[in-house]
Amino acid sequence: MPDLNPSSAPTDAPGQHRPEAEDQGSERRLLRTVIDIVPDYIYVKDRQSRFVVNNAAVAQNLGMTSEQVNGKSDFDFFPEALARQFYEDEQRVMASGTPLISREEPNYYPQTGTWGWHLTTTVPLRNLEGEVIGLVGVSRDITSHKKMEEAVRESLVHQKFARQLIDSQELERKRIAAELHDHLGQKLLLVKNHMLLASRAAQQGESAVDLDEALALVTEALQDVREISHSLRPHLIDELGLSKSIESMVRRLARSSQLAATMDIEPVDRLLAKDAEINLYRIAQESLNNVVKHADAKAVTVVLRRTGHSVLLRVVDDGCGFEVEALTRGAERHASFGLMIMAERANMMGGEFELKSDPGLGTTLSVILPIKEGLHGA
C-alpha cells in the first residue's frame, strides 16, 4: 500500500542528497500545517475506507488525535446506519472512479451526541499508474446554514398562514354582516312596519292589526341572534360544560345529516383552561364540518376522554379519505387552510395535532391537549 500520510517522515534513498530530503520534509510539514488550520474536515482513506490521513478538524470532531484516528473507519465512530451509508458511497466513488461533488448529507457528532449536516466532496485517489488506491474527502459543516434555511421556510409558512388568517377573519366579518343585514335586519324591518301599522290603526281608531306575524318574526329574529352569537362564542360550554357541548354538537349533526354518529365521550369538564376548552370545541366543530362537506362519509365516531395528563379528542370517519401530503402542494393548499387552523389551535395550547388519511380509507383526526396545572393528580 503506498504511503498516503504526508506527515510520515521521509527516508533517505541511496544517493539522495540531504538537502532534497529536507525540502520534502519541509513540504510535508507545510502541507500538514495547511490542512490543520482549515476548519473543513479533510481526510484520506484507503480502499477499505479506513482513515490514513485526517486533519485537526476531523480528529477534534471524533475526540482523538489524528494518529489515533488513522487505521479506523466510520464504523468506529458513527451509528451503524450512517457509517454504512458513508461506506457504500465511498466504495462507489472508488469503484467507478467518479467523484461525488458537494453532496448534502446528515452527520453525527460523537462528542456531543447530536446530529447536523455536512456538504461533502469525495474524489478517487490514484497512483502514478492511474490505479485507484483510495479517496480524498473534504466536508464542510453546514448545520447552521440548514437551520437558517429551515427558519426562513418556517417564517414564510407563518407569514402565509397569517395572511390567510387575516383573509379568513375578514370573510367571517363579511358573513356576519351579511347575516345581520339579509336576515336579522330584514326581519326587524318587517317587525317595524307591523308596529307602524298597529300604531296608525290605534291613532285612527281602527281595529287592531293582527300582530301574530310580527311575533313570529320577532321569534325568528331572536333565533338568528342566538345562532350568530353561538358562531362567535360557544356559550354552551359555560352552560353545559365541554363534554356535554360536544355531545350536543354531535347529536345536532346526526339529526341534520345522513351520518350515523357514535360517541365515546367522558366528562372532562374543567380539566382544561377555558381558552383551551373553546379551542378544542372549535377543532371538533371544524372537523365535523369537514366530514359533512368533504368526506362523503356514512359514519363518524367522536371520542373525548382523559388520557393520563392530557385530554384526547379523536374524530374518525369512513369517508373517501385523501393524501395528507397533497394538501401542501399546488391547488390543494387552499383546502388545507382549515386543517392549518386546527393544528395552530392545538399548538397554541401546547398540544399535539395528528391527521391520518388515505384515499378510500377514511380519516382520523387526533388532538391531545395538556391538562391545566394543578389537576394532573386529580
Side-chain angles (χ1 to χ4, degrees):
M1 176 72 190
D3 181 13
L4 300 176
N5 194 336
S7 64
S8 60
T11 57
D12 292 338
Q16 184 178 38
H17 296 293
R18 187 65 182 175
E20 183 179 346
E22 290 177 355
D23 288 344
Q24 290 180 356
S26 296
E27 291 176 358
R28 289 174 184 270
R29 287 191 295 273
L30 177 60
L31 176 60
R32 185 74 218 183
T33 301
V34 170
I35 68 171
D36 278 342
I37 65 174
V38 173
D40 294 340
Y41 301 87
I42 301 175
Y43 52 88
V44 179
K45 293 184 177 182
D46 62 18
R47 286 303 301 261
Q48 286 71 47
S49 289
R50 295 174 300 203
F51 289 97
V52 292
V53 177
N54 64 94
N55 71 342
V58 172
Q60 183 178 1
N61 180 52
L62 300 179
M64 294 184 173
T65 66
S66 292
E67 290 74 16
Q68 290 172 328
V69 172
N70 287 339
K72 294 181 171 59
S73 72
D74 291 330
F75 290 95
D76 296 306
F77 306 108
F78 302 127
E80 171 73 22
L82 182 64
R84 175 66 57 186
Q85 184 62 55
F86 288 165
Y87 176 82
E88 292 175 354
D89 290 343
E90 292 167 356
Q91 291 300 310
R92 277 195 294 270
V93 168
M94 290 185 283
S96 66
T98 303
L100 187 154
I101 306 295
S102 297
R103 172 175 173 174
E104 290 187 2
E105 56 188 16
N107 197 61
Y108 180 76
Y109 305 100
Q111 292 295 94
T112 59
T114 57
W115 289 81
W117 286 90
H118 279 191
L119 185 68
T120 300
T121 293
T122 52
V123 298
L125 178 65
R126 302 177 185 272
N127 61 15
L128 294 176
E129 287 73 34
E131 300 170 335
V132 175
I133 58 174
L135 62 81
V136 178
V138 179
S139 187
R140 173 167 295 180
D141 191 330
I142 59 170
T143 303
S144 59
H145 178 72
K146 294 288 286 186
K147 288 181 178 179
M148 188 179 300
E149 284 184 346
E150 182 62 25
V152 170
R153 280 195 295 269
E154 289 182 0
S155 176
L156 292 174
V157 169
H158 283 298
Q159 288 177 18
K160 179 181 178 181
F161 177 78
R163 288 195 297 270
Q164 289 178 318
L165 183 58
I166 291 171
D167 292 342
S168 175
Q169 291 173 336
E170 187 61 30
L171 287 174
E172 181 67 7
R173 292 189 185 100
K174 290 181 179 178
R175 182 189 67 79
I176 294 173
E179 288 185 2
L180 289 172
H181 178 271
D182 297 340
H183 299 283
L184 183 59
Q186 294 301 317
K187 289 171 183 174
L188 291 177
L189 181 61
L190 290 174
V191 171
K192 176 185 175 181
N193 291 336
H194 277 282
M195 294 300 100
L196 287 174
L197 290 175
S199 175
R200 290 171 184 168
Q203 291 174 1
Q204 297 174 4
E206 298 177 359
S207 58
V209 176
D210 185 2
L211 297 180
D212 289 343
E213 185 176 352
L215 289 174
L217 289 169
V218 169
T219 301
E220 291 178 11
L222 288 173
Q223 182 60 33
D224 288 345
V225 170
R226 291 191 188 98
E227 291 178 358
I228 294 172
S229 175
H230 186 270
S231 70
L232 296 174
R233 175 180 168 83
H235 293 285
L236 278 179
I237 294 179
D238 299 327
E239 300 169 6
L240 304 177
L242 178 62
S243 296
K244 289 293 185 182
S245 296
I246 292 181
E247 183 178 327
S248 175
M249 181 198 307
V250 177
R251 294 189 188 283
R252 289 198 306 272
L253 174 76
R255 288 195 301 268
S256 62
S257 68
Q258 301 298 317
L259 279 172
T262 58
M263 293 176 283
D264 179 9
I265 296 179
E266 301 176 357
V268 297
D269 303 336
R270 294 183 293 279
L271 292 180
L272 302 174
K274 183 58 67 176
D275 56 345
E277 286 189 336
I278 293 174
N279 276 288
L280 193 61
Y281 180 91
R282 290 303 191 196
I283 291 172
Q285 188 178 48
E286 178 69 18
S287 178
L288 290 172
N289 285 340
N290 285 344
V291 172
V292 173
K293 293 178 182 178
H294 307 298
D296 193 25
K298 295 181 180 178
V300 63
T301 299
V302 178
V303 177
L304 181 67
R305 65 164 71 108
R306 176 175 180 167
T307 57
H309 298 330
S310 305
V311 171
L312 166 69
L313 169 70
R314 179 168 291 144
V315 179
V316 184
D317 70 66
D318 64 351
C320 57
F322 54 90
E323 292 184 11
V324 176
E325 292 184 359
L327 290 181
T328 63
R329 301 195 301 266
E332 299 292 342
R333 290 179 181 173
H334 178 73
S336 70
F337 182 60
L339 297 175
M340 290 174 62
I341 291 286
M342 289 189 280
E344 188 65 20
R345 285 184 184 275
N347 291 334
M348 286 191 304
M349 299 299 105
E352 301 174 15
F353 177 88
E354 182 182 53
L355 186 68
K356 295 182 178 179
S357 186
D358 284 298
L361 299 178
T363 301
T364 298
L365 179 145
S366 301
V367 176
I368 298 176
L369 297 187
I371 291 174
K372 64 183 178 181
E373 292 185 14
L375 291 177
H376 286 179

